[in-house]
Amino acid sequence: MGVACSTQPAENQSPFTALDEAGAEDEGPPEWLSVGLANAFDDPPPPSPVEESEASAGALRPPSGWRHSVPDSYYPVQWTRPIACSCVDWVEQRSALCWCVAPPLADALRACAPAGTSGPFHCDVTVPRWEDVLLSRLSPASRCPPELDGWWWLDGGGGDLRVGGELLTFHDADWQGATRCVKSRLAGLARPHTLLGLLGTASALLSGVREEWVFDEGYSRGYVQPGSRWLFRVSPHEFRVVEYTEAATNKIWAMYRLRRILRRRPSAGGESTPHPPALAEFVARARAQRPHEPSLLCHRLCGWAGAPTLCGCAAPERLDNAVVAVNPCVVYMWRDP
């Protein structure tokens, strides 16, 4: 059922005060937790002729050879695959694998950041007014359109679970028109504050990959290249992202949701806009315990150290943790638009 957003917060009051004071509900696990615990999805049905028709693409035309079917239902197929080396805690967003290496790696990223890029910066959802850290980055000078404004949550992760980000913004992108931008994988993408999250940032720094995001005029659908990704808008604050194995096929590699959780504060004298409903769920999942924790203290100590924890948490339980738990601590690089 999730936690619904409350009314507009009072001045100088965190929007999560009501959430913090509400306490736990006695109505069973929320819907987002049940999805993780179920951890079972049927094979997606083949696309219908209507979905595969050229008319379904509208005015937006992708690069030659792309398929553009719209899946009928949400199907995170990436979570049905076996986890390699499941005895080691590496796939979860809260992985403690080799945590002692993270501080020097962050220092190395700070020293090697290219001109115009700074960081890594930290954000901790468990502290009061954590959202100010992210909202301060949303400059009015950015050319980001209102339809894509704010910070977006990559709920479900991408095809590469090891370096998948948690939060993304388009405010730092190089907008080359109203519906087209070029965005670096290095900046404006908050990853979990773990060794693998920092390695994902380091990989983006070394590769220098920049992605082109193209939307139609109504921002109802879009695609990203390089990479075979389609975005289908299902609500004003949510896209369904579909990754295909390669451009010329229709085989789904991954599916996840891009959900807006924060909107830019208005300028002085402007009317305040409430944050989207997904914000409350993001905060709840970041502050809640994982669905499964090792029962013995020795297993927990091994998990904190990143050592193999086969006895403490089996592969299905670890997958549930990866699906449900959000890391409350993220790091990100930043470049001004």
Side-chain angles (χ1 to χ4, degrees), residues 172-192:
D172 69 315
D174 179 14
W175 284 91
Q176 302 176 350
T179 59
R180 184 185 300 264
C181 72
V182 176
K183 181 171 173 54
S184 169
R185 287 185 183 176
L186 173 63
L189 178 62
R191 295 178 171 91

Side-chain angles (χ1 to χ4, degrees), residues 150-167:
W151 283 90
W152 298 74
W153 171 25
L154 287 80
D155 184 12
D160 190 345
L161 307 180
R162 296 165 296 176
V163 295
E166 280 195 4
L167 299 173

